[in-house]
Each structure stands twice: as structure tokens, then as C-alpha cells.
Amino acid sequence: AQKITQTQPGMFVQEKEAVTLDCTYDTSDQSYGLFWYKQPSSGEMIFLIYQGSYDEQNATEGRYSLNFQKARKSANLVISASQLGDSAMYFCAMRPIQGAQKLVFGQGTRLTINP
Amino acid sequence: AAGVIQSPRHLIKEKRETATLKCYPIPRHDTVYWYQQGPGQDPQFLISFYEKMQSDKGSIPDRFSAQQFSDYHSELNMSSLELGDSALYFCASSSIVSSTDTQYFGPGTRLTVL
């Protein structure tokens, strides 16, 4: 079984600051993928970034980077130079790599960017 | 780029009625997933299809059924609706042959049961 834990229900950050959203996971799978999704108040679920368990380098996508520490089983999302439009709910998720496998989500972190 | 299409976007039903949600995956994606997200909750997996065959089943009530058709679109059928079925229903699609097999979500169908 897999489990994702996001311990920050809410985060408040000033515009232009960097923010780190925490995610820890537990799995018995050897190969797995870690994902971050953004859910604005409008409701859609937007894919942000992916990290494979065997990837040696941390994933980056524009202002998003994933701080992957396999031994600690953590996959924190770092958003640099935050913008007002970054205000949203953020979900960490994981699944085994092989096959058509479902995503297991954490509880989410609500990020609010203050001007 | 083409995205996942879901219809309808909003649906209001009475208790004990039926509802059908439709999903059109991204072209050339071979896998479709359905998730249910209750108010203030994270998405919960319902069911998935790979190449038109059911591949996995989660916490889907017996009142719900789903299928994937020859054109790869999928439908989630919900009968004897209950108040607790009010939620945001997502369809996601992915390509198992891609390097990351990332699931891309549709905009969701917001179902309200009165």
C-alpha cells in the first residue's frame, strides 16, 4: 500500500518569495513515480512536475523544482519567485511505475500568495 | 495541445435519479482513470481502463458502473444517486508507453445531488 502525507494544511507567502511545500511518502514498491498537481479555485487539476524513483537528478519545470530525498522518502515542491496566480491547492501524489496504476494523493496544501 | 474533455461540466440531479458522465481522453492515450473528489478532500480513485478493458477498481459503489468504448471515450454511469455522491468527478488519461505515464486530468464534472 502507498501513503502520501502533506503536513501543511495551509501556507501563506509573500509575492516573489520562494516557497517549499512538504510531501513525504511510504511505499513498498521499488519503482514509483511522484507527481505534483495544482488545483486552483476553479477546480481543474493541473499537472506540474514528475520525479521517478530512479532519477538521480531533481526534476525541474520552469519555476517548479522537486527536492527529492529518497532515503528520507520526501518529495518537496519548491516554487521560486511566487506569483499571485500560484494561490491554489497543491497535491502530492504517487503510483507504481509499472502498468496502468492509480494515483494515491496526499491531503493537499492550500497555498496563498499575498501581494 | 488537446486535453481531456469531460461532459457535462455541471450536473444537478435528485436523489434516486441516474447520471451519466462522459470522458474523451487525449488522442492516442490508452488508459483512462476516474476519480471522485468530495468537498475539501483529495481525489479518490474509482476505476480505470487500459485499451478498453477494466484494469483496476477502487472504492466504486456497486451503484456505479463504467466502460470504455471502441473510440476510447469512457462513460461513468451512476444510479440510485445519494446525497453523498455530490462531488467533483475527474477523468484522467495517460499513455502507458510514455516515459512518465503522467495522468492528465480533465476539467471535471461537478455533480450535485439534491
Side-chain angles (χ1 to χ4, degrees):
Chain A
Q2 301 168 327
K3 185 177 171 62
I4 294 279
T5 303
Q6 295 180 252
T7 57
Q8 306 152 310
M11 290 275 288
F12 295 85
V13 173
Q14 289 296 121
E15 193 179 5
K16 298 191 179 75
E17 287 184 351
V19 56
T20 297
L21 305 182
D22 295 340
C23 171
T24 57
Y25 62 91
D26 193 19
T27 181
S28 56
D29 294 295
Q30 294 299 311
S31 302
Y32 50 88
L34 294 154
F35 302 80
W36 277 91
Y37 287 87
K38 172 184 178 180
Q39 187 174 38
S41 56
S42 51
E44 68 264 36
M45 195 73 76
I46 302 166
F47 165 70
L48 294 178
I49 195 166
Y50 165 85
Q51 178 84 42
S53 59
Y54 285 105
D55 293 340
E56 294 185 353
Q57 300 225 346
N58 286 339
T60 60
E61 285 287 350
R63 293 186 300 112
Y64 304 108
S65 60
L66 201 150
N67 184 358
F68 180 49
Q69 299 188 46
K70 193 170 182 178
R72 292 187 172 186
K73 293 189 175 181
S74 75
N76 298 339
L77 177 70
V78 180
I79 306 175
S80 63
S82 58
Q83 302 171 358
L84 296 179
D86 294 332
S87 293
M89 195 75 166
Y90 288 80
F91 289 98
C92 181
M94 75 176 302
R95 62 162 182 77
I97 281 180
Q98 289 186 324
Q101 303 277 1
K102 65 177 185 275
L103 284 167
V104 173
F105 287 84
Q107 312 94 308
T109 295
R110 182 167 298 281
L111 175 64
T112 303
I113 308 298
N114 296 314
Chain B
V4 177
I5 297 170
Q6 288 187 249
S7 67
R9 294 291 307 277
H10 301 272
L11 194 55
I12 299 175
K13 291 286 185 179
E14 299 277 341
K15 279 196 311 184
R16 292 179 287 278
E17 286 190 325
T18 61
T20 297
L21 279 54
K22 296 187 178 182
C23 169
Y24 297 85
I26 292 171
R28 293 180 294 281
H29 277 194
D30 48 34
T31 310
V32 166
Y33 306 80
W34 286 96
Y35 293 86
Q36 177 192 57
Q37 185 180 28
Q41 298 181 1
D42 55 286
Q44 296 293 314
F45 171 72
L46 292 177
I47 196 167
S48 62
F49 295 87
Y50 170 65
E51 285 291 345
K52 292 159 281 185
M53 298 287 289
Q54 182 181 309
S55 55
D56 196 7
K57 201 170 181 180
S59 309
I60 183 169
D62 292 340
R63 300 177 289 107
F64 293 8
S65 65
Q67 57 181 321
Q68 187 177 30
F69 295 87
S70 57
D71 64 352
Y72 288 90
H73 94 273
S74 178
E75 294 184 3
L76 178 66
N77 298 291
M78 311 159 70
S79 63
S80 302
L81 287 169
E82 302 174 357
L83 296 179
D85 296 329
S86 295
L88 187 55
Y89 290 83
F90 285 109
C91 170
S93 74
S94 70
S95 170
I96 204 167
V97 299
S98 75
S99 59
T100 65
D101 196 13
T102 296
Q103 293 180 27
Y104 294 92
F105 283 69
T109 294
R110 190 171 295 279
L111 173 65
T112 303
V113 182
L114 303 175

